[in-house]
């Protein structure tokens, strides 16, 4: 038996770690959860949302470059590299529009914050937030991080496609976990099925083109350890917690269906397609985190942390 084998290589760039790094820069703020889990989730979604959206689009791209399917057991091996670029509107967000409950803008501070794909600007140009509580106002509890200055995501992967029976093809895409040290790990995978519809058309063998339908689902995972100790928190004696067990887990699930048609000409091919896609992102914070009530010591400089202020798995 003669197998249809095709190997294609596309220049692949290393997965950029800046989304994880910038997420870590936000988590490095000792008072990330100072306003409670609801405020923390609103801020993190606004800050990291463009990252999730762009990676979702990258996961959905690159599945189809021809409507033709492989013959049974024919396959191709591809090193793919997909790129997504953020629009200008996703580079910043307004803190005042988030509806925060326990955090408010510090006096003299701007309300415009950078997202993960925003500008790499100076600290003085970024919002500073106060903690608002029944005990009063604790100033400058959280400074928003800067952006990356790079409004794009680059996502390489190894992809293999193999022909099955009835002009059906399966494709699998995979990138192993890459460890970026204190910035965590990133990995992703995907699977797609493509079926050629030309076989159902009259005189199919005489047609100079193929028509196929494809469905794919992909998953990207990022895990970042959170081992920093809040510097402005004063813990009650006897409070202990395992800092090595804390982590932020972010996941992006993407799915799409594509109807495509491509020519079968000797020297060049033309492909056209139409499809539907979706993206879902989620975040979990596991481990034990201090969430202050706003009570301070006699000097007013340190936020007191009692045992009841220690919260397990605040986002799960």
């Amino acid at each position: 038996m003669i197998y249809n084998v095709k190997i294609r290589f596309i220049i692949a760039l290393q997965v950029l770690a800046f989304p994880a790094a910038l997420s870590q820069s936000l988590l490095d703020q000792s008072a990330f959860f100072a306003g409670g889990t609801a405020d923390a989730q609103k801020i993190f979604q606004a800050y990291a949302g463009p990252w999730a959206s762009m990676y979702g689009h990258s996961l959905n791209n690159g599945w189809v470059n021809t409507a033709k399917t492989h013959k049974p057991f024919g396959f191709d091996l591809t090193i793919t590299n997909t790129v997504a670029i953020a629009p200008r509107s996703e580079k910043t967000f307004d803190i005042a529009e988030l509806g925060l409950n326990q955090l408010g803008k510090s006096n003299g501070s701007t309300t415009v914050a950078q997202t993960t794909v925003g500008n790499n600007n100076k600290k003085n140009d970024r919002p500073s937030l106060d903690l608002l509580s029944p005990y009063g106002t604790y100033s400058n509890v959280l400074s928003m991080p800067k952006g990356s200055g790079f409004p794009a995501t680059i996502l390489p992967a190894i992809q293999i496609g193999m022909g099955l029976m009835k002009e059906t093809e399966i494709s699998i895409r995979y990138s192993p976990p890459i460890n970026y040290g204190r910035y965590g790990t990133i990995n992703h995978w995907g699977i797609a099925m493509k079926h050629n519809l030309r076989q159902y058309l009259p005189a199919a063998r005489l047609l100079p083109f193929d028509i196929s339908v494809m469905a794919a689902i992909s998953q990207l995972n990022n895990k970042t350890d959170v081992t920093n100790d809040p510097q402005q928190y004063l813990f009650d004696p006897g409070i202990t917690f395992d800092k090595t067990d804390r982590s932020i887990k972010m996941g992006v699930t993407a799915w799409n269906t594509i109807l495509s048609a491509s020519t079968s000409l000797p020297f060049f091919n033309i492909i056209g397609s139409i499809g539907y896609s979706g993206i879902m992102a989620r975040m979990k914070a596991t481990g034990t985190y201090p969430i202050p009530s706003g009570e301070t010591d006699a000097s007013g400089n340190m936020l007191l942390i009692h045992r009841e202020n220690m919260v397990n798995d605040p986002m799960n």
Side-chain angles (χ1 to χ4, degrees), residues 66-315:
T66 179
K68 187 176 182 179
T69 52
H70 287 300
K71 295 178 181 179
F73 303 108
F75 71 92
D76 70 275
L77 177 66
T78 307
I79 299 178
T80 66
N81 191 62
T82 56
V83 179
I85 300 176
R88 182 182 297 271
S89 60
E90 293 195 357
K91 294 183 179 181
T92 61
F93 66 96
D94 195 330
I95 288 287
E97 297 178 355
L98 298 184
L100 302 178
N101 298 315
Q102 303 297 323
L103 296 174
K105 180 183 75 70
S106 301
N107 289 334
S109 172
T110 179
T111 63
V112 179
Q114 303 298 315
T115 68
T116 48
V117 297
N119 293 328
N120 188 354
N121 58 358
K122 297 180 180 179
K123 184 175 181 179
N124 293 338
D125 297 329
R126 306 198 303 268
S128 180
L129 301 179
D130 296 342
L131 174 60
L132 311 177
S133 76
Y135 296 96
T137 299
Y138 187 91
S139 300
N140 303 316
V141 71
L142 174 64
S143 294
M144 290 300 299
K146 60 186 178 181
S148 66
F150 187 77
T153 54
I154 302 173
L155 191 65
I158 299 173
Q159 180 175 315
I160 184 170
M162 176 174 288
L164 305 176
M165 306 300 292
K166 303 294 184 180
E167 297 192 52
T168 301
E169 179 179 314
I170 184 172
S171 295
I172 297 175
R173 180 184 291 179
Y174 179 70
S175 176
I178 300 176
N179 192 328
Y180 294 98
R182 64 188 291 263
Y183 300 134
T185 59
I186 296 178
N187 75 288
H188 70 93
W189 59 266
I191 185 169
M193 296 290 292
K194 183 167 65 175
H195 185 65
N196 200 326
L197 303 178
R198 191 182 72 164
Q199 59 187 302
Y200 305 112
L201 301 177
R205 294 184 178 181
L206 301 178
L207 298 177
F209 59 86
D210 291 274
I211 301 176
S212 66
V213 61
M214 187 277 304
I217 185 169
S218 306
Q219 174 72 36
L220 181 141
N221 300 302
N222 172 221
K223 178 183 177 183
T224 305
D225 293 329
V226 185
T227 58
N228 58 300
D229 245 341
Q231 296 180 355
Q232 70 265 47
Y233 291 175
L234 181 61
F235 292 85
D236 283 349
I239 292 182
T240 59
F241 58 99
D242 186 2
K243 294 182 294 183
T244 63
D245 193 39
R246 297 189 301 191
S247 65
I248 298 294
K249 299 177 182 178
M250 293 175 286
V252 180
T253 302
W255 62 92
N256 63 337
T257 57
I258 297 176
L259 178 66
S260 60
S262 65
T263 59
S264 302
L265 302 176
F267 301 106
F268 69 94
N269 288 314
I270 300 174
I271 183 172
S273 61
I274 185 172
Y276 173 82
S277 63
I279 301 169
M280 180 179 66
R282 62 201 175 281
M283 182 184 75
K284 292 183 178 181
T286 60
T288 304
Y289 295 80
I291 300 181
S293 62
E295 182 183 2
T296 64
D297 66 353
S299 69
N301 296 324
M302 303 293 289
L303 287 165
L304 299 180
I305 302 297
H306 306 300
R307 189 170 300 278
E308 59 267 24
N309 301 129
M310 304 299 293
V311 179
N312 292 323
D313 302 337
M315 295 182 189

